[in-house]
DNA sequence: AAACAAGTCAACCGCTCGTGA
DNA sequence: ATCACGAGCGGTTGACTTGTT
């Protein structure tokens, strides 16, 4: 399975493309178009399989390919899109004209590798909850954002300037299940001017709303958070599912007022996302769903629990 | 200058999905 | 309904480049 008939041929060449091969492919595609890729190699006089030709064209030879470093805006867009769709590179690429899924994927992977390799700091620990069983590269959900099966959404919030433009709006959303814990207590003390403090975050109304989506959040996790001066932040809801999210809450999308409410939320969230994605966040905390334990910067913190923390959520990169 | 490590990126592999017979 | 096939996607590999010691 997976192996195309055209790729079974003994004579097909593999490896890097020579300039001559590129030229042949470009000449053929520009004059004939590609139609059926499996027929391209033969017609173009190439000893490659159609799949290889397709890949070469799409990822490298296409005239509208944009090469070079990603711009700041592109990076931000990738981050935001990835937070929404996960590793759907083709989907992300479709929002970045001239960029290929392969390029974005490579970029992301090398970027993430850096993050993973970065040693956690003892004085400044950001927290990320996720299931290690599915790794940080998993999308938030296989089925999109369904508030009922989301429990945690990992996102690194920066220690400095954790400024939430509109807490009321934010926490009134069912997607307030998007949730994280932050262990940066010691740092916070010095920088909490703009931050939500632990107390503020865990006040009743906010916490009730989180509970709405995280009914089984293990108390051990909360205790851990409390004992370690953890406060939590949260990730803004996802724009593309906002309709579903706000409907039935305090926005009725069937009327103009509800629509206005939605637009306002989107505006707030967009601002917030933009703000957060500009920040630097140093390390992560992992929730290991399989072993039911929290891992902080590689250090295991046992949380005895039979929680029902839901499916994995994805990464939210920390800095640009 | 040489050796090694780390990073980058093109290409391949294996899989799923859509479509048509 | 089933099968075969091609297209497309995401994960992974490995060659090459760059940085560091």
């Amino acid at each position: 399975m997976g192996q195309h008939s055209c790729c079974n041929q003994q004579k097909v060449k593999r490896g890097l493309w020579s300039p001559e091969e590129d030229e042949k492919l470009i000449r053929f595609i520009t004059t004939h178009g590609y139609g059926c890729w499996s027929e391209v190699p033969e017609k173009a006089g190439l000893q490659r399989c159609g799949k290889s030709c397709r890949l070469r064209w799409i990822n490298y030879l296409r005239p509208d390919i944009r090469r070079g470093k990603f711009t700041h805006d592109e990076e931000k867009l990738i981050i935001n899109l990835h937070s929404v769709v996960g590793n759907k590179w083709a989907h992300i690429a479709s929002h970045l004209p001239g960029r290929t899924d392969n390029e974005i994927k490579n970029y992301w992977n090398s970027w993430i590798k850096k993050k993973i390799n970065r040693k956690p700091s003892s004085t400044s620990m950001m927290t990320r909850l996720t299931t290690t069983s599915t790794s940080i590269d998993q999308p938030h959900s296989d089925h999109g954002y369904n508030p009922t099966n989301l429990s945690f959404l990992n996102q690194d919030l920066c220690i400095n300037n954790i400024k939430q433009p509109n807490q009321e709006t934010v926490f009134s959303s069912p997607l307030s299940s998007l949730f994280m814990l932050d262990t940066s207590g010691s740092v916070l003390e010095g920088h909490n001017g703009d931050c939500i403090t632990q107390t503020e975050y865990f006040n009743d109304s906010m916490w009730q709303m989180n509970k709405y989506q995280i009914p089984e959040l293990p108390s051990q996790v909360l205790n851990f958070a409390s004992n370690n001066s953890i406060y939590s932040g949260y990730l803004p809801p996802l724009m593309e599912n906002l309709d579903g999210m706000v409907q039935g809450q305090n926005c009725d999308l069937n009327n103009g007022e509800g629509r206005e409410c939605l637009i306002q939320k989107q505006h707030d969230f967009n601002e917030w996302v933009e703000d957060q994605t500009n920040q630097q966040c140093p390390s992560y905390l992992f929730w290991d769903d399989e072993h039911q334990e929290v891992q902080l910067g590689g250090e295991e913190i046992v949380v005895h629990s039979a929680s029902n923390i839901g499916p994995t959520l994805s990464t939210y990169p920390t800095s640009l």
Side-chain angles (χ1 to χ4, degrees):
Chain A
M1 196 178 176
Q3 189 79 343
H4 295 190
S5 54
C6 69
C7 301
N8 290 328
Q9 295 168 22
Q10 293 292 320
K11 60 179 181 181
V12 294
K13 195 182 162 194
R14 291 166 194 276
L16 293 177
W17 281 63
S18 68
E20 292 75 27
E21 289 176 307
D22 282 348
E23 198 186 323
K24 280 183 183 176
L25 185 57
I26 291 169
R27 200 183 307 139
F28 179 81
I29 300 291
T30 51
T31 54
H32 300 92
Y34 47 78
C36 177
W37 280 110
S38 58
E39 295 170 0
V40 167
E42 193 186 338
K43 290 179 178 173
L46 289 161
Q47 294 185 334
R48 297 272 181 175
C49 77
K51 206 172 176 179
S52 181
C53 292
R54 177 188 158 270
L55 213 64
R56 183 64 179 171
W57 176 257
I58 288 173
N59 287 339
Y60 201 82
L61 300 176
R62 237 169 53 194
D64 59 329
I65 286 282
R66 215 173 128 202
R67 311 203 72 81
K69 286 195 73 170
F70 284 84
T71 66
H72 186 67
D73 286 344
E74 285 176 318
E75 286 178 339
K76 280 204 294 191
L77 188 54
I78 291 168
I79 290 163
N80 288 333
L81 287 168
H82 188 272
S83 74
V84 175
V85 301
N87 294 3
K88 304 290 180 193
W89 305 118
H91 182 87
I92 294 171
S94 70
H95 289 79
L96 288 113
R99 299 294 188 181
T100 68
D101 53 351
N102 209 33
E103 196 178 9
I104 294 166
K105 179 172 60 183
N106 283 334
Y107 174 70
W108 183 269
N109 286 338
S110 56
W111 188 29
I112 287 304
K113 234 183 266 176
K114 279 185 209 162
K115 294 290 169 194
I116 291 169
N117 291 337
R118 190 190 292 173
K119 297 288 179 198
S121 153
S122 57
T123 57
S124 165
M125 294 186 288
M126 294 299 293
T127 306
R128 164 177 290 185
L129 294 176
T130 186
T131 60
T132 54
S133 56
T134 42
S135 95
I136 61 169
D137 276 357
Q138 292 298 313
H140 294 163
S141 160
D142 287 339
H143 312 291
Y145 273 98
N146 175 1
T148 61
N149 63 17
L150 280 178
S151 56
F152 288 88
L153 179 61
N154 358 286
Q155 173 179 4
D156 297 334
L157 297 178
C158 193
I159 295 161
N160 298 328
N161 194 26
I162 305 270
K163 188 178 172 184
Q164 318 253 337
N166 188 338
Q167 292 298 323
E168 290 304 313
T169 300
V170 153
F171 285 101
S172 64
S173 161
L175 266 249
S176 58
S177 60
L178 305 177
F179 179 83
M180 67 170 287
L181 298 173
D182 188 305
T183 62
S184 55
S186 59
V187 177
L188 258 182
E189 288 174 14
H191 300 277
N192 64 355
D194 291 322
C195 294
I196 306 166
T197 66
Q198 182 180 340
T199 312
E200 282 169 340
Y201 184 80
F202 282 104
N203 72 28
D204 275 356
S205 60
M206 291 177 181
W207 181 235
Q208 286 304 321
M209 282 185 249
N210 275 294
K211 278 168 68 181
Y212 174 77
Q213 293 302 326
I214 317 168
E216 305 282 349
L217 184 68
S219 60
Q220 289 90 342
V221 170
L222 299 179
N223 291 338
F224 170 78
S226 177
N227 292 339
N228 290 279
S229 300
I230 291 171
Y231 74 104
S232 69
Y234 95 105
L235 188 80
L238 296 154
M239 295 304 108
E240 66 179 23
N241 283 341
L242 204 57
D243 286 29
M245 283 152 37
V246 296
Q247 211 147 19
Q249 291 292 302
N250 51 0
C251 293
D252 179 2
L253 299 179
N254 292 322
N255 60 46
E257 202 179 322
R259 276 282 155 200
E260 250 183 60
C261 169
L262 170 64
I263 290 163
Q264 181 58 45
K265 282 174 187 292
Q266 288 176 328
H267 178 74
D268 292 339
F269 294 145
N270 283 336
E271 275 191 359
W272 190 87
V273 167
E274 185 150 336
D275 189 37
Q276 294 308 315
T277 54
N278 282 324
Q279 311 299 324
Q280 294 283 330
C281 302
S283 59
Y284 321 98
L285 178 71
F286 298 93
W287 171 256
D288 188 333
D289 203 19
E290 190 180 340
H291 300 101
Q292 299 291 299
E293 63 196 17
V294 175
Q295 295 184 355
L296 174 61
E299 193 181 324
E300 192 174 289
I301 298 158
V302 178
V303 178
H304 304 288
S305 165
S307 82
N308 292 326
I309 285 180
T312 303
L313 304 165
S314 92
T315 78
Y316 200 78
T318 58
S319 66
L320 296 172

